[in-house]
Amino acid sequence: MTDFKVLHSKVSELLNTAGFEVYPFLIGWYNENDDTLAFIVISTPAMFDKAFKPFICRQSCVDQRDPIDECMIHYFSRIKEAFPEEEVDTMHDFEMTATRRPKVLVQTAGHVAGAAYYYQRKDVTDDPWGPEKKIYGVSVHPKYGGWFALRGVAVFKNVHQPALPRVPPIDCVPAREDRITLLERFNFHWQDWSYRDIVPVEEKYSEEQKKYFKTLPKDRKEVVDEIRKAFERQ
């Protein structure tokens, strides 16, 4: 039987130095009665400097895919390479099924893994928006607020861990008024970044990183070229 502590430690060591964090969970916590082990992978603000910039400077990217997505594919592939004896299935936040549905609901996975609290309309009693208004949920990390991303999951299909303790996510926005503010900022004013600072944060995106993510994917080539040139001058 695969030693869970060794496996968890190895996955963490593999990704933490590149600005990622991993949180274990069981598939059954996500969708059905199953004790198969999985990890949700999040990118912290440090990922941009530690993983993304070195990645785009050492290899060419496929024009049809966003460079961030390519970077995630690269680092998720390292999980498979590190465990050749295991059957590892990886699913990214940007992957879709044939019916154009997400392959994995990363915010739900992040919540059940205890990585970040997924605040939804149902978390607001007597919400003020009315039944006709669509309100999307948003995840908040206790350390990074909204300055992070849920990138995908790695499922160890032959590793079963029925005794894995379930750690609930930290409810860092407990007040009703603050939850309303969070959801309104995310749904109606997401471009001003303010929802990301709903809680005090220890780290946030650099101005360079903000510029990259504010740029539409179709226009990011110029930003990538600027990053490459600056990186090469270092």
Side-chain angles (χ1 to χ4, degrees):
M1 177 180 292
T2 302
D3 187 305
F4 164 71
K5 290 183 178 179
V6 173
L7 190 153
H8 187 191
S9 177
K10 192 172 179 179
V11 174
S12 297
E13 289 174 4
L14 187 68
L15 296 180
N16 285 3
T17 56
F20 298 93
E21 291 181 3
V22 298
Y23 299 81
F25 69 100
L26 300 183
I27 294 298
W29 301 348
Y30 173 83
N31 62 2
E32 58 188 44
N33 187 20
D34 186 346
D35 60 8
T36 301
L37 179 68
F39 293 92
I40 180 77
V41 180
I42 76 168
S43 61
T44 74
M47 178 280 297
F48 198 78
D49 284 333
K50 292 184 175 180
F52 180 63
K53 288 164 69 172
F55 173 79
I56 62 174
C57 290
R58 67 172 173 256
Q59 63 188 85
S60 299
C61 295
V62 178
D63 290 338
Q64 290 81 8
R65 184 182 288 131
D66 187 272
I68 280 283
D69 294 347
E70 285 209 34
C71 181
M72 296 306 109
I73 290 170
H74 168 76
Y75 277 94
F76 274 57
S77 71
R78 293 178 64 181
I79 302 174
K80 292 185 177 184
E81 292 167 2
F83 299 94
E85 73 284 1
E86 299 291 348
E87 187 177 355
V88 183
D89 187 12
T90 58
M91 290 173 281
H92 299 272
D93 64 313
F94 54 83
E95 287 189 292
M96 308 293 282
T97 67
T99 57
R100 302 304 298 166
R101 292 180 178 275
K103 279 192 174 182
V104 58
L105 300 174
V106 289
Q107 296 197 103
T108 300
H111 188 93
V112 301
Y117 201 108
Y118 182 28
Y119 292 96
Q120 303 176 72
R121 184 176 189 158
K122 66 182 180 60
D123 295 308
V124 177
T125 55
D126 300 319
D127 77 64
W129 300 296
E132 73 285 349
K133 183 73 73 174
K134 178 69 174 178
I135 300 294
Y136 294 95
V138 59
S139 295
V140 179
H141 191 282
K143 180 178 178 181
Y144 308 115
W147 301 98
F148 79 105
L150 295 144
R151 295 297 181 182
V153 302
V155 181
F156 285 73
K157 299 178 73 171
N158 296 325
V159 178
H160 300 275
Q161 196 70 28
L164 182 71
R166 186 165 182 173
V167 179
I170 295 174
D171 181 5
C172 46
V173 190
R176 176 181 180 272
E177 295 77 11
D178 291 338
R179 291 181 178 183
I180 291 173
T181 298
L182 168 67
L183 290 171
E184 288 190 341
R185 286 180 180 178
F186 178 71
N187 280 272
F188 311 131
H189 308 287
W190 60 269
Q191 289 177 310
D192 70 7
W193 306 86
S194 61
Y195 79 89
R196 298 176 187 268
D197 287 314
I198 193 69
V199 298
V201 298
E202 296 182 25
E203 297 178 45
K204 63 194 323 182
Y205 293 174
S206 65
E207 291 304 313
E208 182 181 48
Q209 189 169 178
K210 287 181 185 179
K211 179 180 179 180
Y212 179 87
F213 286 118
K214 281 195 290 188
T215 303
L216 293 174
K218 68 181 181 65
D219 300 322
R220 285 177 178 170
K221 184 180 184 302
E222 183 176 336
V223 182
V224 168
D225 289 341
E226 290 176 3
I227 292 172
R228 282 179 176 147
K229 290 175 182 176
F231 193 83
E232 290 167 358
R233 288 196 296 267
Q234 294 178 358

